[in-house]
Amino acid sequence: MTLIPLLFNGLSYGVLFFCMAVGLTVTMGMMRFTNLAHVSLCMLGGYFLVQLTAVWSVPFLVMLPLVFVLTAALSAALEVAVLRHFYRSDQLSQVLLTIGLLYMSITAAAWFWGPSYKAVQLPQWLVGQVEFAGMSFERYRTFLLVAGAAITAAIFYGLERTSFGATVRACVDNQRVAAASGLNTSLVYTLTFAIGGGLGGLGGALSANMIGLDPNFPLRTLVYVLIIVSVGGMGSIMGTLAAAMLVGVLDVLGKYYLPSYGGMMIYLIAIGVLIWRPEGFFRMKGQHA
Amino acid sequence: MKRSLTALAAAGFIAGIGMAPAIAQEEFKIGVLMSYSGISATIGASVDEALAHYMEEHGDVVAGRKIVLVRRDTTGPNPEVSRRAAIELITREKVNVIIGPDYTPNVLGLAPVLNEMKTPAIITGAASDGIVQAQSPYYLRTFYSVSQNIKPLAKWAYDEGFKTIVHVTADYGSGINAEEVFKATYEEAGGKIVEAIRVPLRSPEFSGYMQRIKDANPDAVMVYMPLGELPLMFLKAYSDAGLNKSDIKLIGVGDLTDETILDAAGDTALGAMTAAVYSPSDPSPENQAFIKVQDEKFGGEPRVSLSHVAGWDAINIIYEGLKAQEGKPFDPDAFIAFAKGREFTSPRGPIKVDPETGDLIQNLYFRKAEKVDGEVRNIPFHVVPAVVP
């Protein structure tokens, strides 16, 4: 009977990773842009949440969309001001640029919010456990699963059923043809980037309560997010979802069944999957160099 | 009248300028080697506050020497950076004594430098056993040693009626050291460790471990973790899993509920019983006076913690050591010899520098995290006096 709570904990953990990684997988897959500073946006989402609760005491459920909008706006600004000038650079320059931004964000966060951990004030209805079939489940994790399902549904609906989604897919498949057909690709890029950043901020805000929020947040999460993106396959949302859930579940299971080696589990999965399928779970269709 | 006064003042002023070089005091430089950035920047900030507080109270001139602090950042557990910073402090800045470093790896990395340059250093933040005098004759420590804290804690836990324990520590040198010491003492007393969990240092997700604790259902959970994110995440996961409402008691070394993380931990820390060499809630007059000035000067941010007191005691030893060498050029060997065996009064209670290990012989406070005046505090309920390192 311990397996069910473990799976529950693992899946809710996976939701956090999915939210944080999905924006990165889109920018890496679609724009071929390696944006390591994506995790900084996640951290900022967390700090926005703390700031909004502490200063304006906005209700939690109103706050999450607000965090999304704020981080999305910030991502768009970042894309327009800095990142878009480097789309044509080689990957090493992109990595150096964005890792620099990441370190800047760490120092900036320490300056604004201080170096210590910030606690997230949750509404009472998200604190504690619920009993179900003789097992206790954390309310916050239940909420994470519901929120995760809603976010996933929204992403898939947006990509598959809306004309903006069709435009994004067109740009992912072949940017030059899309531009030649009259699509404003640079606007699509900015918007996609904003949405990816916004989702990251939302993921960061949701994880702040579970994995802690301090200026070092980006460095702590970067490895996990990169593993999920590469295991899932760059540009594949389905793959990112699968990889995030797999990493979340196996991390929790590993820590339970093999407490001495549990921390190594995710690295072993990453190595295994990448040997088996170097492109990740889901190879992108029609990928071009 | 007025004019003559002005003239007199001017003359005095000019004379003052002229005299200045003649009476210029010899400088005595203290290097402060702490984490000022990164995960433990709070430690540097805390030590700085304590040093500023001490120097304001005791003046910045000791035995005719003007005290000057020179700060360097270790950036966290980073022996390469600390070593470079220490060499720079000693050779370029010509510091006579160092306060710091923090973290065991930094302490180990620095030892050869101190031996070669004959520069005393007072460690304020690394707890491993056998890293003080055993590493360098120039090391002293105003922190605590793992054994000093854990041996009495293990005995107390057994006497308190905890017959089975799950031991949780972080998977690093000091953590394994702590686990061995606890296990030996506790099992000798008659208790049983039903499970020993070592969590990775960078592991933000604890729910798997919590399930293990639930299944083992011990009398108590004993936690030893380095100051910072891990204890915070542990407390969070522990209460999220509902374990803080179960019959299982949570015990640990003071870092688990250190004042630097207590505000962030909030209610999740309530009920945790920890053993620490300092307790800010201790009612002794020295401590209360210390806390009062700290809060007035710095607004209580970060909260007064062991790091503050470790910095305070370190500079106190330096001041006293300098007074003993009044009028003579600074002799590092005589300084260490002076400090050994000496007794001081500290906000943490009476302390004595153990001549053998270079550690402090000091009180160990058992505290319980409780909510007082709307904030969580460690309230002492039991004291073991003069614990040897």
Side-chain angles (χ1 to χ4, degrees), chain B residues 212-235:
Chain B
R212 258 199 117 76
I213 294 174
K214 262 186 200 170
D215 293 355
N217 194 25
D219 292 335
V221 177
M222 155 73 201
V223 183
Y224 176 85
M225 283 177 181
L227 196 52
E229 85 190 52
L230 274 183
L232 202 57
M233 295 301 103
F234 179 88
L235 290 171

Side-chain angles (χ1 to χ4, degrees), chain B residues 71 136 155 371:
Chain B
R71 293 179 178 80
S136 162
K155 282 199 195 90
K371 205 159 202 170

Side-chain angles (χ1 to χ4, degrees), chain B residues 146 150 167 169 173-183 224:
Chain B
V146 165
I150 283 187
H167 190 281
T169 186
S174 193
I176 292 160
N177 178 195
E179 188 189 295
E180 284 161 358
V181 174
F182 188 90
K183 195 171 161 50
Y224 176 85

